Amino acid sequence: MQNIVIKGGARLTGEVRVSGSKNAALPILASSLLASGRSVYRNVPALGDVRTMHKLLGELGAEVETKTEAKAGGITFVDTSKVENVEAPYDLVKTMRASVVVLGPLTARHGRARVSLPGGCAIGARPIDQHLKGLAAMGAKIELEHGYVTARARRLQGATIVFDMVTVTGTENLMMAAALAKGHTTLENSAREPEVEELARVLNKMGARIQGAGTSQITIEGVDELQPIEHTIIPDRIEAGTLLVAAAITRGNVLVRDCLPEHLDAVIAKLRAAGVEITPEEGGLRARAKGDLKPTDISTQPFPGFPTDMQAQFMVLMTRAKGQSLLTETIFENRFMHVPELQRMGADIQVEGRTVAVRGPTRLTGAEVMATDLRASASLVLAGLIADGTTKIRRVYHGPRLRSAGQEAARAGRRRPTRPGADVKGRTKPAAAATRGTTAAPPVPARMLTLALPRGRILEEALLLFREAGIDLSAADKTRAGRRLIIPVEAAGIRVLIVRDTDVPAYVEGGAADLGIAGRDVLDEQGRDLYEPLDLGIGRCRMVVAEPEGRPVDEAAPFHLRYATKFPEITRRHLQSRGVVADVIKLYGSIEIAPLVGLADRIVDLVSSGETLRQHHLREVETILDVSARICVGRAAAKLHGDRIDSLIKRLRAVVR
Ligand code: EPU
């Protein structure tokens, strides 16, 4: 555990080099377990998590050596010839959740792995159910006992696996497992992060047969054996982004060397929107900022969207902007731990659910603050750079990388380039990297809008309506989507989430979907804080009160009547408006039988033809609501993507009957 002390106020100028990617290095080091022999990795960043991974490989029986060379950065040699132990102990996993990436390789090569469950961490619960679901689909027997997960399989078998959500280490774990499995594996809804692509590159070098990494569908043809390799790790896009922000907030002028601009499109777009000048130059990206910055909204998304790992740093940038910015965190549920610390330094930030509003510009003042996760710590270093006076960051667990990034940034003004033209840019996509260095700004992908759609009839009718409006979402059709629940439709710029009808408002209100389609029954019952700009006129039905034929209810009876329903809120409001005193019983289904078996006197339920009521000898007393499905939009989404949502609604409005 370390403290960092920063004296704020310097304008950063000069050049700084980006280290190797932490999140690429961790699974790559674990991939060494898939082969027997000595692998060599270059450009390995020197930081706490990497040292934990070295230690873990050592525990498993690998011989790990490290050295540092000026050109190659950190070099790690891993010899796995003597690996026999297959247990990742709690002590190591608890300090680094990413230790879980040894699960796939150990199971694939040794037929067994025992890995401590990671538990929660500073940024949320972070379960690993998707990793386990995938291994089970590949034939592994999974047991959870005493806080450990054990996976066993004589030989894993290829399978088709559909991730319920985009998970980076989940995709990596299963890709490694499938590399040695028997037969063909398809990973659907895979993470598209550059680190996943980099791991696939490494595995293919080892002899694996992987295609599609970097897209949401990855296919893997299992092989019997893999070989150790030598490899140089890609630069860290988050460190690069952090250094660009450091330059911008200090009104500086810094060349961030050895970064790959194609991994930074979303970050660059937002920096530019904020008024930061970003120019690709030979060997890197230059950031310059003058005058006031502009308020800019972000919503974190899986790659190629704006990375959650840059959210905290961007928040500091927005304290420099004139006006209000909204920052929405959609990946992790608890990633605002830096907010109270930034508030202590004078930032004007308000949290509302998963969105924060930052108002600026504010003058930050140095204070003693506490670090939580790595990125939160980076944001405090950034805040310290612009604060008046001295900032002391306590409880920094993350090792020298954070310190050196901070120090390099702080030193940048005094430094000459140490290694101009270093070899990184040619490592992955040489041609692209080279030309980008000298041409115009890199293209910025439009972020997909996320639409939550309920299963069943509304889904079918909504797809027809979208089609009429010229928006083809048929990939989300049940027969085409199969059991997939997240369906990106690139051509339409829309990512469809298939969810339960009653969950649509929660996804939209929570910012996980920008907009959704839900019945008026669901929306009225839940009464959430959403915009409902358009009734689509689909999924039509009625909400009615019904009672048994021949047993009419006396509303003025001296005893409490009992109404059974799935919609207690709507029912209570209706009863109140009629002045009827009654008990309301919430049921989840089979409402019609409640009066027949004596649980209720009346029911409130949805009907379309009324046939089910008739079959149960119930008669309609009155209609209390005409129901059809509506578009609902979250407040943050309306602010962040108002123009695109408006134009979508305009197209739909033109075809709604
Ligand atoms: N999730 C599940 N079940 C799973 C897996 C994930 O519910 O089986 C949920 C998580 O709880 C989270 C979301 O899915 O809400 C995404 O998690 P993901 O699995 O993608 O995260 P990760 O693989 O554990 C990696 C990076 C993180 C980065 C995230 C998101 C590594 C070693 N870590 O984590 O990096 O924030 O992807 O991009 O690659 C960091 O570098 O500081 C860091 C936290």
Side-chain angles (χ1 to χ4, degrees), residues 498-546:
I498 307 291
V499 302
R500 207 186 145 123
D501 61 349
T502 47
D503 289 341
V504 169
Y507 276 84
V508 177
E509 193 188 50
D514 300 307
L515 65 167
I517 296 180
R520 184 175 167 199
D521 50 334
V522 170
L523 291 164
D524 281 11
E525 176 65 21
Q526 298 190 12
R528 289 172 189 266
D529 187 19
L530 301 173
Y531 297 117
E532 290 173 27
L534 181 63
D535 191 328
L536 295 173
I538 58 172
R540 282 185 196 277
C541 58
R542 289 175 305 126
M543 192 180 288
V544 301
V545 179

Side-chain angles (χ1 to χ4, degrees), residues 449-632:
L449 282 179
T450 301
L451 168 69
L453 273 177
R455 306 162 195 272
R457 184 177 141 205
I458 291 185
L459 173 73
E460 286 160 25
E461 292 188 35
L463 296 186
L464 287 175
L465 200 64
F466 273 79
R467 183 142 49 124
E468 272 185 71
I471 305 162
D472 183 6
L473 296 183
S474 56
D477 183 305
K478 205 168 73 189
T479 47
R480 287 184 55 194
R483 295 171 64 186
R484 281 194 300 158
L485 300 178
I486 302 181
I487 303 123
V489 187
E490 309 270 0
I494 292 179
R495 190 169 70 128
V496 178
L497 307 185
I498 307 291
V499 302
R500 207 186 145 123
D501 61 349
T502 47
D503 289 341
V504 169
Y507 276 84
V508 177
E509 193 188 50
D514 300 307
L515 65 167
I517 296 180
R520 184 175 167 199
D521 50 334
V522 170
L523 291 164
D524 281 11
E525 176 65 21
Q526 298 190 12
R528 289 172 189 266
D529 187 19
L530 301 173
Y531 297 117
E532 290 173 27
L534 181 63
D535 191 328
L536 295 173
I538 58 172
R540 282 185 196 277
C541 58
R542 289 175 305 126
M543 192 180 288
V544 301
V545 179
E547 62 186 17
E549 279 170 14
R551 245 174 49 209
V553 164
D554 176 7
E555 288 185 0
F559 49 87
H560 277 197
L561 295 171
R562 292 160 307 156
Y563 281 67
T565 183
K566 270 199 253 182
F567 306 99
E569 285 310 319
I570 297 176
T571 304
R572 275 193 203 101
R573 283 200 295 272
H574 170 71
L575 291 169
Q576 211 172 7
S577 72
R578 298 281 309 257
V580 177
V581 181
D583 290 332
V584 177
I585 302 163
K586 163 126 196 185
L587 295 180
Y588 292 89
S590 306
I591 315 287
E592 313 74 26
I593 64 170
L596 307 179
V597 296
L599 180 66
D601 302 297
R602 279 181 167 174
I603 62 169
V604 172
D605 204 5
L606 296 177
V607 297
S608 41
S609 67
E611 182 51 30
T612 315
L613 291 184
R614 283 192 289 280
Q615 273 179 13
H616 291 91
H617 305 290
L618 297 168
R619 72 169 193 99
E620 275 180 41
V621 178
E622 63 177 322
T623 296
I624 61 175
L625 206 62
D626 282 312
V627 173
S628 52
R630 297 159 171 225
I631 298 255
C632 55

Side-chain angles (χ1 to χ4, degrees), residues 22-24 26-27 49 96-101 121 123-132 163 165-172 191 193 195 236-238 301-303 307-309 330-333 335 354 373-376 401:
K22 170 189 79 109
N23 288 346
L26 295 173
D49 278 358
M96 186 184 67
R97 185 186 182 279
S99 310
V100 75
V101 290
C121 71
I123 59 177
R126 302 180 77 184
I128 56 162
D129 54 302
Q130 301 300 306
H131 306 228
L132 303 184
F163 291 104
M165 80 277 299
V166 175
T167 157
V168 176
T169 47
T171 304
E172 292 166 347
E193 268 64 5
E195 295 76 22
D236 195 307
R237 63 194 165 103
I238 305 300
Q301 297 291 331
F303 190 85
T308 168
D309 291 342
T330 72
I331 309 288
F332 293 112
E333 79 269 27
R335 212 171 191 183
R354 287 188 156 202
D373 74 288
L374 173 61
R375 312 306 176 182
R401 207 235 333 213

